[in-house]
Amino acid sequence: MVASYTQLLARRYTGKLDEDADEFIGFAVDGARRMQELINDLLTYSRVGTRALQLETVDSNRLVDRVVSDLGAAISDSQAEVTRDDLPTLRGDPTQLRQLFQNLIANGIKFHRPEESARVHVSAVLEHATWTFSVSDNGIGIEPQYQERIFALFQRLHTRADYPGTGIGLAICKKIVERHGGQIRVNSAPGHGTTFEFTLPVVRAEMRTV
Ligand code: ADP
């Protein structure tokens, strides 16, 4: 309601009152939009923790391809390139795993260096009955002292004006990975890109096929 009515005010009255009014309506529209974004992200975060996992056999190639197609507009707007190796099929909750890839790939695109377009690559290796997935980018990187903190709710290293966001995406990723019995970590050097690595255990039914 708040978002719709402030948008209606903007459509009907921008340019008809004074300059201050235009500015105030603009702030209200922007605030309502951000509040909606925040509520949606918090709901996703909460559902990831409460909803029972719907375990299925999931082809991660298809998940990543789907995410790349969903992010089509962001990818073409920023002339990004997202590539992947041949990825495994495993057991997991397809909705949550898709969300995981979506957040990591979208961050790889978003946090690119101004002078170079984003390149994001997804790969996976199998070791000791565990898949380790990597999502690597050539972006701005993260200072070592912040590398733990970014997985907590609302922790962001930049202003919204530099890079938009709510600071909830990586907290969602951590929760998804941990609910699947894995771990997530980051390797990064400022100016030299970032690699997020997460593990997913190979479950018995699937071990026969690998
Ligand atoms: P948001 O993207 O909404 O800011 P996230 O929880 O996804 O929130 O990320 C938290 C913070 O971690 C980001 O604000 C950014 O500072 C840092 N970050 C996440 N991914 C990357 C990345 N690929 N490269 C550089 N910094 C990143």
Side-chain angles (χ1 to χ4, degrees):
M1 286 283 276
V2 174
S4 319
Y5 277 98
T6 48
Q7 279 162 17
L8 190 65
L9 278 175
R11 272 204 304 278
R12 287 230 187 130
Y13 296 103
T14 301
K16 295 196 176 148
L17 305 167
D18 60 15
E19 255 180 45
D20 274 358
D22 285 354
E23 194 182 45
F24 298 162
I25 292 174
F27 289 151
V29 168
D30 189 48
R33 188 189 48 75
R34 277 193 289 115
M35 186 161 64
Q36 226 164 11
E37 223 173 75
L38 201 64
I39 291 170
N40 286 340
D41 284 359
L42 276 174
L43 279 176
T44 305
Y45 177 75
S46 150
R47 285 194 194 111
V48 165
T50 52
R51 200 175 272 178
L53 282 186
Q54 308 284 322
L55 291 182
E56 288 174 26
T57 302
V58 187
D59 176 358
S60 29
N61 294 299
R62 287 188 59 188
L63 283 188
V64 171
D65 291 347
R66 185 82 187 272
V67 167
V68 170
S69 129
D70 289 348
L71 292 173
I75 291 175
S76 58
D77 282 356
S78 57
Q79 296 178 332
E81 188 187 24
V82 182
T83 51
R84 64 161 173 82
D85 287 350
D86 193 25
L87 301 172
T89 292
L90 35 83
R91 269 190 89 68
D93 183 315
T95 311
Q96 292 197 2
L97 293 180
R98 186 165 144 213
Q99 178 89 56
L100 170 65
F101 283 115
Q102 158 112 11
N103 291 0
L104 294 178
I105 294 171
N107 276 355
I109 297 168
K110 177 165 68 174
F111 294 103
H112 70 89
R113 281 181 286 145
E115 66 277 13
E116 202 179 346
S117 40
R119 274 181 287 116
V120 181
H121 184 70
V122 186
S123 58
V125 291
L126 178 65
E127 218 178 28
H128 308 305
T130 300
W131 284 107
T132 300
F133 285 82
S134 301
V135 179
S136 309
D137 65 55
N138 61 337
I140 58 173
I142 302 168
E143 304 268 356
Q145 67 269 32
Y146 301 126
Q147 292 181 5
E148 275 292 311
R149 207 198 285 179
I150 52 170
F151 293 101
L153 265 185
F154 305 129
Q155 296 293 326
R156 316 196 62 233
L157 308 179
H158 309 276
T159 63
R160 273 196 324 272
D162 290 338
Y163 297 96
T166 57
I168 302 176
L170 286 178
I172 293 175
C173 291
K174 185 172 159 71
K175 217 177 217 192
I176 292 174
V177 171
E178 289 177 354
R179 286 210 77 193
H180 282 78
Q183 288 177 330
I184 187 165
R185 62 172 178 262
V186 65
N187 288 317
S188 181
H192 292 280
T194 301
T195 298
F196 283 94
E197 281 185 356
F198 61 89
T199 56
L200 291 175
V202 175
V203 292
R204 219 176 279 141
E206 194 212 328
M207 278 177 87
R208 282 183 234 120
T209 65
V210 293

